[in-house]
Every structure is written in structure tokens, then in C-alpha cells.
Amino acid sequence: MRLWAVVVAVVAVEVPLGAVSGRFPALPTISDKAFIRECVRSHNVFRRNVDPPASNMRFMTWDAALARTARAWANKCIFDHNMYLNLKYYAHPYFTSIGENLWIGSHQIFDVKDAIKAWYDEVRSYNYSLETCSKVCGHYTQIVWDDSYKLGCAVVFCKEVGGIRNAANFVCNYAPSGNFQRRPYQEGPPCSNCAKRDFCDRKLCRNAERDKIVYYSRWTPPWDFKIVCDQACIAIIISRVLMICLGFLIIYLCRRHFKNLFMST
């Protein structure tokens, strides 16, 4: 498995962090519906329009666990690939083969479509018929890898990463991973080589079972040392606090109402 990274250097006048709002700049979260929609849409647009056309290209859908892994690694603000991707169940509770693309640039110019396009544009260096790459092609081949059908991305603000100050650190993880020693997909009429139970959706192979969105609500990367509490967890904590407060209140009222019971002889 190969992993790839892109640096986008932008010459611009940087406004000091917090000079305007006093806060970190707002970047979309991994639960932002517009962010999720654009990540998935951009990948599938590039996948269905490969040249030469693909006969077996799978449709990509969002995966919450991959997004959590992407966020956890992006939060470290290290411009290097996630060292845990090759460890079983350290990047996903089900998939054991995870791919990754990285992008960094000024937070002021971050755009999901542009970042993904920067990866895809490596197609200019890739020759499908000869299966050769003249420069860097790994981001492109991961985006159009036929077997990869789950995607999770995250973008976080970093004060400094990869030599860029006040940066957007954008990470996408893919499952199953791509970039093995072969062409990224099989050439042929679109959907002509889909699996038996697949159906064709605008040049991409889809499958109802494969395309299910699973949220893995109680899973987080085991190397991400943060306390994670979902809605059920929060409800339990609040109820326990309320019960403790209620217990103290009952004791207080009993002491006031039944003073003689608490008097020693």
C-alpha cells in the first residue's frame, strides 16, 4: 500500500490569528452535511469520468469511522502519514486495509473541491496504457481505485504544519485501500464488469448492502486519547448528577423536618 501527500503553498498576506474574531477560523466538522456531501460527490464525479472509461468502478459512500480516524490524525498537525493505518483495527473497526491522501494549505483558501482536484490532477503524470507515472500519481490512483468504496475525510486548523502557518490540514481515508502494483481500474464500457448483485448508477457500480451508511457510534481510534461521550453517555452522566443532587436535597429536608432523629443523647 502506498500513501500520498500534497502541499499547496500559497503566497498571501496572512491576517494574524484571532486579529479579527479572536477565535480559530471556522472549518467544517466531520458531521457537517455539506462537507460530507461535497467530499463524496467530488470523488464520485472524478471516478465516473475517468479516461479511459472504467468497467468496474465502485460508487463511494461516507464512512464515519474513517472520518474519525482522519480527524484524529489531522488534529496532530503532523505532515506525515498516519502510522497506525497498517495496524489491525487501529484505523477502522472493520476494514484492515486503509488508504490516505493528505493536503495542506492556507486555511483562507481551503475548498473541498479544490483540494480533491489537486489530488486528481496528478492524472497528467499517469499513463494508463503503459501503467507508468512520470512524477507523483498516488493521490490520483487512490481517488480512482476501483475497489475503494468507503470514504471519510476531515479538515482541521493547525497553527503550523508542514512549514505553513495558520493552515488547513485536510485528510481523507479510504477503504479498502488502493495503490497496489496494478492499474487502478479495469478499462471497458462503464458498468460492464460490475459484480453480480450490483446495479449501474451513472457509470458507477452500486450495491445496496455495500452502500449502507454505518455510523459506528461507539467507536473511536484506540490511539486517539480523548474522552468520547455520545448522547446516551451524556444522558447517563446528567441523570447520575441529578440523582446525587436529589439525594443530598432529600437528606437536607429530612434533617430539617425530623430534627429529633438526628439529635444525640
Side-chain angles (χ1 to χ4, degrees):
M1 177 177 65
R2 298 177 187 172
L3 305 171
W4 304 92
V6 165
V7 182
V8 176
V10 177
V11 178
V13 177
E14 289 285 336
V15 178
L17 180 62
V20 178
S21 63
R23 300 181 300 176
F24 286 163
L27 289 170
T29 67
I30 61 172
S31 59
D32 185 300
K33 291 182 179 179
F35 173 74
I36 294 172
R37 185 167 55 249
E38 192 54 56
C39 287
V40 173
R41 189 198 71 84
S42 292
H43 277 82
N44 281 325
V45 166
F46 287 130
R47 289 168 72 81
R48 65 170 45 101
N49 290 309
V50 289
D51 183 23
S55 65
N56 65 329
M57 187 72 74
R58 288 176 169 180
F59 181 83
M60 271 191 175
T61 53
W62 188 255
D63 186 277
L66 289 176
R68 287 185 206 125
T69 293
R71 179 182 62 187
W73 187 250
N75 276 326
K76 293 184 179 296
C77 294
I78 301 171
F79 190 57
D80 199 358
H81 285 287
N82 188 337
M83 67 181 75
Y84 302 102
L85 295 184
N86 293 321
L87 298 179
K88 196 172 184 178
Y89 304 127
Y90 270 56
H92 196 277
Y94 171 71
F95 293 105
T96 58
S97 173
I98 311 296
E100 183 176 72
N101 280 347
L102 306 177
W103 179 100
I104 58 173
S106 169
H107 74 272
Q108 295 174 319
I109 59 104
F110 172 73
D111 180 82
V112 174
K113 290 182 291 186
D114 290 345
I116 297 171
K117 185 177 184 298
W119 295 332
Y120 183 83
D121 283 347
E122 292 174 2
V123 65
R124 299 165 186 163
S125 302
Y126 185 74
N127 187 306
Y128 182 91
S129 61
L130 298 177
E131 198 180 345
T132 58
C133 178
S134 60
K135 292 181 182 178
V136 177
C137 305
H139 298 94
Y140 161 72
T141 51
Q142 176 59 85
I143 287 176
V144 300
W145 198 261
D146 49 10
D147 288 340
S148 299
Y149 65 92
K150 286 297 182 183
L151 166 73
C153 303
V155 59
V156 303
F157 175 83
C158 294
K159 290 183 179 179
E160 192 279 331
V161 59
I164 298 178
R165 292 179 55 81
N166 298 339
N169 189 14
F170 182 52
V171 179
C172 283
N173 287 138
Y174 306 85
S177 68
N179 290 342
F180 297 101
Q181 293 300 317
R182 66 170 176 85
R183 290 181 177 86
Y185 59 87
Q186 297 178 30
E187 181 183 359
C191 296
S192 61
N193 200 26
C194 292
K196 280 186 178 180
R197 297 181 181 177
D198 288 3
F199 64 94
C200 188
D201 180 6
R202 291 173 294 168
K203 302 180 183 181
L204 299 178
C205 303
R206 299 195 63 171
N207 178 289
E209 187 64 28
R210 192 171 62 231
D211 293 349
K212 282 182 179 178
I213 307 298
V214 182
Y215 292 98
Y216 305 98
S217 61
R218 295 186 179 276
W219 185 87
T220 190
W223 44 270
D224 185 27
F225 304 107
K226 290 183 179 181
I227 297 175
V228 177
C229 196
D230 59 15
Q231 291 181 344
C233 167
I234 293 171
I236 291 171
I237 292 173
I238 292 174
S239 65
R240 287 181 177 178
V241 171
L242 290 175
M243 290 298 292
I244 292 171
C245 292
L246 181 60
F248 279 116
L249 179 60
I250 291 172
I251 293 172
Y252 171 76
L253 293 175
C254 287
R255 282 180 177 273
R256 292 199 58 178
H257 191 68
F258 304 104
K259 290 182 180 180
N260 292 336
L261 293 178
F262 298 94
M263 292 177 63
S264 61
T265 57

